[in-house]
Amino acid sequence: MKFFERLFFAGAEIPSELQTREQINEKDKWDLTHIYANDDMWEADFRWVESHIAEYEKFEGKLASGSEILLKCLKFDDEMNIKLERLHLYAMLSKDTDMSVSKYHAMEDRVRSLYSRVTTASSFLRPEILSFPEEELLKAIHANNDLRIYEHAVSDLLRTKSHTLAKEQEEILALAGEITQTPYNTYSLFTNADMKFPVIKDGTGNEIEISHARFYAAMHSPDRQYRKEAFGSYLKPYLDYVNTLASLFNGNLKTNIFNAKARKYTSALEASLDRNNIPVSVYSNLINTANENLEPLHRWAKLKKKTLGLDELHPYDVYVSIFPFGDEKKYSFEESKQLLIEALKPLGDDYLASLQTAFEYRWIDVYETRSKRSGAYSSGTTFGVHPYVLLNWTYLLNDVFTLAHEMGHNMHSYYTGKTQPYPYANYSIFLAEVASTFNESLLLDYLIDKAENKNEKLFLLEKYLNNITATFYRQVMFAEFEKIVYEKTEGGEALTSDMLCDLYRGLYQKYWGADMVIDKEEEFTWARVPHFYYNFYVFQYATGFAASEVLSRKVKDDGKPVVDAYLDFLKAGNSDYSINILKKAGVDMNSPQPVIATTRKMSELLDEVETLLGI
């Protein structure tokens, strides 16, 4: 039930008004009959799952009686979850097609409730399997050919045995789960619903109330005074409520530290990474190697300052384009599909054929329509059904890159679902951003190679530099901040708002270098990053980006053997641990090399920009 979100024509006229669903050509709408022929078929599957929940009782307390009953139980649990995921996919996509239709909201709520009932009924599985003597359990699996498929899943379960508590203690932690969500839930409600932002005048003199989306748009405005005012106004409420936000932030840290200690981990970081068996050394290697290679980011800051003609570079100058050549060019969806096919040719005929299938057989919902969900996502792996992609096409270059990104996720999910049995037909977040940013990298390289003039090439090189800045360096900085605040809290220090501001300011200065002048408001950015409530999540953006840089270069340099290894990566799912799957593809995230390759790429791009500018 996981999906991945991202919030970017010639020869055609862009609609001036938002279209209705009926006005969109059928070929540009996803075909949900690939999941269920109609709502009645959905209801039939829902009733089937509902009527079979009680069958879990047949297995509880009996799994030790032999491999046959264990196999029946695991297959039954798979069947229940396969249907649940299919039910959820249909309800979610139907709802997102038109958010005004209450029927599909209700169907999605019903699936969530059903999922909770199934989870409760099957909750005996993990502790009961872990209660078996390890040797006997593995012997039973090896003795039954049909059970061998579960060997890695069971081995992974056994790996976490020392961190699995007695049944009564697990129940207490489960009961506390809703309470421990309070810091994030409160933060989310406060910053998205209750927090009020000031009204300012935009670059044309119109009064606008600042919001999250308007702030990000303002940071790209060529009007520097407007950027400055939007920057200060957006962060003002975070300054005004900094003590409340610091309390929620500390509450979240202590929640994760409590859970880690309860499960006998040495730190919250270890507990978080252990979910996917990621060594803590991977996290440390990322931060340490990036810190040793900050010079490209410092060069970028210096170049931006010089090219923008500024006496001082401030945080609100980071996102504005210095080469805005491509802002006016429009891209049709049909044109963009062909661009993507050309850019991804190095991946070979099989990948391109799979991509073409997605385009031709309506896996993608392309255009914005009234009441359609905003943004973009790929639906992820749903066993037995191809993945879907939601877009809201606005004819900008950013849309082309969003298509490349989401089709990276889509093909990853497609190959995984096509190749792996259900227990392994998904992949971890640690791997998720590799395939998406890989596609973007190939597309950028292709467009840069095909650039028709110097200005277009500079525009595209800047986009590549901004990708590395935002998806790699910024996320490493966040990861370092997160590591330090947890270590301080675990060491008994009380993190005041002043300490958090000082820490964030110091890191920001270190990463951007001496040419960056940090405004007071920027110190409070720690309070506006929701990802800090996701428990060591952001580092995976940086590792995924670094891994994709290595893989995309290898594919271009070494051809078919690397392509074959990359396709095997897309097919691997959860059949092995994430770190091992990447190693087989040719990337060792325990090594400094992927990080160095990323920083070296940024240096090469800067060299090319400076050459074009004659600097």
Side-chain angles (χ1 to χ4, degrees):
M1 300 185 187
K2 296 177 180 176
F3 56 92
F4 308 96
E5 280 197 66
R6 265 178 73 121
L7 291 174
F8 246 37
F9 69 174
E13 188 174 329
I14 301 171
S16 59
E17 294 183 1
L18 203 58
Q19 294 177 291
T20 64
R21 194 77 182 159
E22 292 72 26
Q23 291 173 298
I24 300 296
N25 193 305
E26 286 297 305
K27 71 181 178 63
D28 296 318
K29 295 187 282 191
W30 51 29
D31 186 353
L32 301 189
T33 63
H34 301 168
I35 314 171
Y36 289 108
N38 50 50
D39 292 356
D40 290 339
M41 297 296 290
W42 184 93
E43 292 288 354
D45 249 8
F46 187 95
R47 289 192 298 272
W48 187 94
V49 173
E50 195 172 37
S51 66
H52 283 74
I53 293 175
E55 290 191 27
Y56 278 107
E57 295 175 6
K58 297 192 305 185
F59 302 106
E60 188 169 5
K62 301 180 180 69
L63 298 184
S65 60
S67 60
E68 290 299 324
I69 194 165
L70 177 60
L71 177 63
K72 284 182 181 178
C73 180
L74 292 174
K75 282 188 170 296
F76 170 71
D77 188 56
D78 286 351
E79 186 176 13
M80 292 286 278
N81 281 286
I82 288 168
K83 287 187 181 294
L84 275 170
E85 290 177 15
R86 198 177 187 113
L87 288 165
H88 178 263
L89 181 68
Y90 183 84
M92 180 186 77
L93 300 183
S94 299
K95 178 204 69 179
D96 290 351
T97 298
D98 188 342
M99 302 282 282
S100 68
V101 180
S102 59
K103 174 182 180 179
Y104 295 113
H105 286 273
M107 285 168 66
E108 190 176 41
D109 287 343
R110 287 168 61 198
V111 176
R112 287 198 182 103
S113 177
L114 185 64
Y115 181 79
S116 179
R117 290 164 62 191
V118 171
T119 301
T120 301
S122 62
S123 62
F124 70 91
L125 268 170
R126 181 186 179 96
E128 191 166 328
I129 290 173
L130 285 175
S131 70
F132 300 166
E134 186 171 334
E135 287 186 12
E136 290 184 21
L137 178 59
L138 293 174
K139 184 178 178 182
I141 288 173
H142 290 145
N144 188 313
N145 286 334
D146 292 330
L147 263 178
R148 286 182 186 174
I149 194 175
Y150 296 97
E151 183 174 1
H152 175 63
V154 170
S155 296
D156 190 43
L157 195 61
L158 291 170
R159 180 183 65 81
T160 63
K161 187 173 184 177
S162 62
H163 302 292
T164 302
L165 308 180
K167 182 181 178 183
E168 294 78 10
Q169 293 170 315
E170 287 287 349
E171 287 175 354
I172 291 171
L173 285 182
L175 287 170
E178 192 170 348
I179 299 169
T180 57
Q181 290 298 309
T182 299
Y184 171 69
N185 290 339
T186 305
Y187 171 84
S188 182
L189 283 170
F190 182 61
T191 56
N192 288 298
D194 296 341
M195 187 179 280
K196 302 301 179 187
F197 295 96
V199 174
I200 66 168
K201 289 186 177 181
D202 65 14
T204 58
N206 296 316
E207 288 193 344
I208 63 165
E209 182 181 355
I210 289 293
S211 66
H212 298 298
R214 287 170 178 170
F215 165 72
Y216 286 110
M219 291 303 96
H220 290 85
S221 171
D223 186 330
R224 191 171 192 238
Q225 183 59 34
Y226 173 51
R227 294 201 307 271
K228 181 179 179 180
E229 289 184 18
F231 175 79
S233 298
Y234 177 72
L235 283 160
K236 186 179 184 302
Y238 293 95
L239 276 72
D240 293 341
Y241 295 104
V242 68
N243 292 322
T244 298
L245 292 164
S247 177
L248 292 172
F249 185 85
N250 276 287
N252 184 68
L253 298 181
K254 290 172 182 176
T255 292
N256 291 323
I257 291 168
F258 163 76
N259 285 328
K261 285 182 176 178
R263 295 197 176 279
K264 304 170 186 174
Y265 286 101
T266 59
S267 67
L269 176 59
E270 183 192 19
S272 176
L273 300 190
D274 193 53
R275 287 196 298 267
N276 292 316
N277 199 25
I278 305 296
V280 172
S281 56
V282 169
Y283 200 99
S284 301
N285 170 67
L286 173 71
I287 292 172
N288 294 339
T289 310
N291 271 265
E292 292 166 2
N293 293 275
L294 292 175
E295 182 57 27
L297 186 56
H298 296 173
R299 280 181 65 192
W300 182 221
K302 189 182 293 292
L303 181 62
K304 289 210 84 162
K305 178 182 174 181
K306 181 176 182 177
T307 310
L308 289 169
L310 302 176
D311 294 329
E312 294 181 345
L313 183 73
H314 288 256
Y316 50 80
D317 298 317
V318 165
Y319 296 106
V320 65
S321 177
I322 55 179
F323 308 118
F325 169 83
D327 289 350
E328 299 303 318
K329 190 172 181 180
K330 304 302 178 185
Y331 296 82
S332 72
F333 183 61
E334 293 302 319
E335 176 188 3
S336 301
K337 288 192 296 185
Q338 290 307 309
L339 275 177
L340 192 56
I341 287 169
E342 291 298 320
L344 300 181
K345 273 187 176 178
L347 293 180
D349 292 341
D350 187 76
Y351 189 96
L352 293 178
S354 300
L355 194 65
Q356 196 66 50
T357 298
F359 291 154
E360 291 179 6
Y361 288 89
R362 297 173 54 196
W363 297 12
I364 307 169
D365 206 84
V366 182
Y367 296 107
E368 183 180 15
T369 53
R370 289 177 192 168
S371 301
K372 180 180 172 181
R373 178 185 171 135
S374 62
Y377 65 71
S378 175
S379 65
T381 309
T382 303
F383 193 73
V385 185
H386 64 76
Y388 288 82
V389 165
L390 178 138
L391 300 172
N392 280 279
W393 201 261
T394 57
Y395 306 93
L396 300 178
L397 180 63
N398 197 47
D399 291 301
V400 186
F401 279 94
T402 297
L403 176 64
H405 183 99
E406 300 306 340
M407 293 315 297
H409 285 314
N410 187 269
M411 290 294 103
H412 195 178
S413 298
Y414 169 69
Y415 277 109
T416 291
K418 182 181 176 183
T419 308
Q420 295 298 327
Y422 177 72
Y424 310 120
N426 211 326
Y427 45 85
S428 70
I429 297 298
F430 185 77
L431 298 179
E433 293 303 327
V434 176
S436 54
T437 53
F438 177 95
N439 275 13
E440 288 192 76
S441 179
L442 287 185
L443 176 61
L444 255 176
D445 280 340
Y446 174 79
L447 291 174
I448 289 169
D449 287 343
K450 298 292 182 182
E452 296 178 356
N453 54 58
K454 182 178 82 170
N455 289 336
E456 183 177 3
K457 193 166 190 177
L458 284 169
F459 169 74
L460 293 164
L461 289 169
E462 181 184 24
K463 180 170 180 58
Y464 212 145
L465 289 164
N466 285 335
N467 284 357
I468 297 175
T469 299
T471 312
F472 178 74
Y473 276 116
R474 184 171 175 82
Q475 303 311 318
V476 177
M477 181 181 72
F478 284 168
E480 185 171 358
F481 177 83
E482 200 168 4
K483 182 174 184 287
I484 293 170
V485 295
Y486 272 98
E487 287 174 346
K488 286 182 177 293
T489 306
E490 287 166 338
E493 289 189 52
L495 298 182
T496 65
S497 59
D498 287 343
M499 289 176 65
L500 291 165
C501 287
D502 288 345
L503 173 60
Y504 187 85
R505 180 189 184 91
L507 288 172
Y508 196 91
Q509 190 76 72
K510 178 175 73 171
Y511 276 76
W512 277 97
D515 282 284
M516 178 64 71
V517 177
I518 303 175
D519 304 87
K520 179 69 177 176
E521 291 89 346
E522 182 62 32
E523 297 176 6
F524 294 82
T525 290
W526 62 265
R528 72 171 181 86
V529 180
H531 291 76
F532 288 149
Y533 289 78
Y534 299 173
N535 193 15
F536 296 103
Y537 186 94
V538 294
F539 88 100
Q540 296 166 120
Y541 289 122
T543 55
F545 189 92
S548 71
E549 273 302 316
V550 173
L551 289 171
S552 62
R553 176 163 290 200
K554 281 176 174 284
V555 163
K556 286 176 284 190
D557 290 347
D558 301 327
K560 191 176 187 308
V562 180
V563 169
D564 291 343
Y566 179 70
L567 292 178
D568 286 342
F569 161 79
L570 296 182
K571 297 172 184 176
N574 281 326
S575 60
D576 197 352
Y577 295 118
S578 301
I579 200 78
N580 296 337
I581 289 171
L582 266 180
K583 275 184 183 178
K584 291 172 186 174
V587 183
D588 182 1
M589 288 312 303
N590 237 327
S591 159
Q593 292 312 309
V595 176
I596 292 171
T598 304
T599 60
R600 186 180 294 134
K601 177 68 175 182
M602 188 169 187
S603 291
E604 292 169 0
L605 294 168
L606 287 164
D607 290 343
E608 195 166 357
V609 169
E610 289 173 351
T611 298
L612 288 168
L613 293 176
I615 297 176

